[in-house]
Amino acid sequence: MSTVTDFMNLNLSTIHDKFIAEYIWIGGSGLDIRSKARTLSGSLDDPQKLPKWNYDGSSTGQAHGHDTEVILYPQAIFKDPFRRGNNILVLCDAYNPTGDPIYTNKRFEAAKIFNHPDVVAELPWYGLEQEYTLMEKDTKWPLGWPRGGFPKPQGPYYCGVGAEKVFGRDIVDAHYKACLYAGINIGGVNAEVMPGQWEFQIGPSVGITAADELWVARYILERVTEIAGVVVSFDPKPVPGDWNGAGGHTNYSTKSMREDGGYEAIQKAIEKLGLRHEDHIAGYGEGNERRLTGNHETADINTFSWGVAKRGVSIRVGRDTAEEGKGYFEDRRPGSNMDPYVVTSMIAETTILWKP
Ligand code: ADP
Ligand code: MN
Ligand code: MN
Ligand code: MN
């Protein structure tokens, strides 16, 4: 007798040249990810050669009225770790039939900034730390926590080991390997300070690639947790009280910062970020005020600050960078539910293009 898994593992590429492309896009909430599949044949590696597609925007909260068709433009291709073989994931952004980006398409504006010659010349690198919380599906309470109750206070959980300290490691590892298989530049994973909370890192990746990779890594995480029957939360403060929130720390450097004497470029960039603190906070995620309290390794949302090797600040410069006089810095303000297109492009815009 064959099992369902046997059929899922059928290898199409030995039979014919058809493959399955899972088109992925961002839905109306700005955080929900949608996808649907189609059969294709031919070129596999160039998104420009893949066909555009469409979906019903009225079903994703992205269109009203009589014309609800939204057009998907393929932007990046990854290998599909779920179907494997020649099958692919296709990250798309969304346009009206007239060719204008729809209002939730944050990639379009980001791409404009990353295509600016001054930004291209600075080769901006991003290291994106994605923190998230695994929740039990029925109770929406963090994985491993006593039903309706609380675990022992924070302390033993960060990078912990053992059945009383870490919950969901199989999911985290499945996601890690699936991302590597897909071709995502995922740098590592770790258990976080709050039990049931985890982190993975993207990068360093250049320009808009970092945000593309983070979105596909989020998609893969939704798929892996779907299989495991667990819910992933990107809420920046999933449990109020004496529990750490979840961030989307954004590590950043330009060519000038990475070269000898780069510390001066780093200082200038931090100064400019300080002048635009409110604008950045506005783009760094919904509900982030519940997280940026000044406690739990955060800086207060209303005050811009920076420091070397400090964690209660808006911007942290690493000890290595300060000692070597070049390197990168970490913007600790973005929440875990931030849109990486908005955050990465805004940092490039402020630090490279903006003239105060
Ligand atoms: P933390 O100590 O804040 O937990 P992590 O190790 O989780 O730091 O993340 C640091 C991130 O910074 C990684 O994704 C790494 O790839 C990235 N990174 C390293 N060097 C650079 C650089 N020069 N520019 C931008 N990002 C960098
Ligand atoms: Mn980290
Ligand atoms: Mn972390
Ligand atoms: Mn960090």
Side-chain angles (χ1 to χ4, degrees):
M1 257 298 258
S2 295
T3 65
V4 172
T5 317
D6 288 339
F7 292 103
M8 287 174 70
N9 289 335
L10 283 176
N11 187 354
L12 305 178
S13 57
T14 57
I15 313 295
H16 47 59
D17 72 342
K18 291 199 174 84
F19 59 92
I20 304 171
E22 188 79 26
Y23 278 46
I24 300 169
W25 70 96
I26 297 157
S29 78
L31 195 60
D32 57 319
I33 312 176
R34 311 278 177 139
S35 76
K36 59 176 181 170
R38 66 186 298 177
T39 309
L40 294 176
S41 58
S43 163
L44 278 170
D45 43 18
D46 182 359
Q48 306 306 324
K49 288 191 188 140
L50 293 179
K52 291 182 177 126
W53 203 10
N54 58 65
Y55 66 94
D56 171 23
S58 71
S59 301
T60 59
Q62 289 169 304
H64 313 282
H66 58 279
D67 188 0
T68 62
E69 187 165 289
V70 179
I71 317 296
L72 292 169
Y73 289 24
Q75 298 292 0
I77 297 174
F78 298 86
K79 290 179 74 64
D80 183 344
F82 302 101
R83 295 195 177 99
R84 298 185 279 271
N86 274 348
N87 307 299
I88 55 174
L89 304 176
V90 182
L91 179 68
C92 303
D93 63 353
Y95 295 79
N96 293 323
T98 53
D100 297 318
I102 66 168
Y103 71 103
T104 54
N105 182 348
K106 307 295 181 199
R107 192 184 190 280
F108 182 81
E109 289 301 321
K112 271 206 235 166
I113 291 167
F114 285 117
N115 287 332
H116 191 290
D118 294 357
V119 176
V120 172
E122 278 291 354
L123 212 71
W125 290 8
Y126 295 91
L128 304 176
E129 298 172 58
Q130 175 69 66
E131 294 180 341
Y132 61 93
T133 311
L134 296 176
M135 300 286 194
E136 260 182 58
K137 198 170 142 201
D138 297 333
T139 59
K140 300 279 161 57
W141 199 231
L143 205 63
W145 288 34
R147 281 251 158 122
F150 295 88
K152 292 196 187 108
Q154 294 183 161
Y157 309 112
Y158 169 74
C159 298
V161 286
E164 287 183 301
K165 289 168 229 147
V166 290
F167 311 103
R169 194 192 295 279
D170 51 347
I171 294 170
V172 173
D173 229 44
H175 171 256
Y176 190 2
K177 282 199 169 175
C179 284
L180 284 172
Y181 180 97
I184 291 169
N185 185 17
I186 183 169
V189 298
N190 63 268
E192 268 305 332
V193 175
M194 186 184 102
Q197 200 165 83
W198 294 86
E199 171 181 313
F200 66 85
Q201 301 101 28
I202 298 294
S205 295
V206 181
I208 203 155
T209 308
D212 283 345
E213 290 182 323
L214 181 56
W215 272 115
V216 177
R218 283 176 175 178
Y219 173 79
I220 291 173
L221 185 57
E222 295 277 9
R223 291 282 306 268
V224 170
T225 51
E226 170 193 318
I227 294 165
V230 164
V231 173
V232 56
S233 168
F234 292 108
D235 192 297
K237 191 80 176 185
V239 184
D242 209 6
W243 305 98
N244 272 32
H249 297 171
T250 299
N251 300 271
Y252 171 70
S253 64
T254 59
K255 194 163 170 285
S256 315
M257 296 176 195
R258 294 187 294 269
E259 285 171 355
D260 283 346
Y263 209 64
E264 201 181 315
I266 289 173
Q267 294 298 311
K268 276 198 191 126
I270 293 173
E271 200 180 304
K272 285 165 108 184
L273 285 169
L275 294 173
R276 272 190 162 178
H277 180 63
E278 285 80 14
D279 294 346
H280 280 259
I281 288 291
Y284 278 13
E286 293 274 322
N288 209 10
E289 70 285 349
R290 289 182 280 120
R291 165 180 165 260
L292 295 180
T293 57
N295 297 316
H296 303 110
E297 303 176 46
T298 70
D300 184 89
I301 193 164
N302 297 311
T303 327
F304 181 85
S305 59
W306 76 277
V308 175
K310 287 186 186 147
R311 287 176 191 270
V313 290
S314 315
I315 305 278
R316 176 171 70 105
V317 175
R319 204 180 299 281
D320 288 352
T321 295
E323 272 168 16
E324 287 169 27
K326 61 181 174 184
Y328 67 102
F329 63 83
E330 174 190 38
D331 191 339
R332 298 176 61 81
R333 297 171 294 172
S336 49
N337 58 353
M338 56 95 162
D339 186 329
Y341 291 130
V342 174
V343 171
T344 60
S345 65
M346 209 181 225
I347 293 175
E349 214 269 326
T350 296
T351 61
I352 300 171
L353 299 178
W354 185 52
K355 311 268 185 280

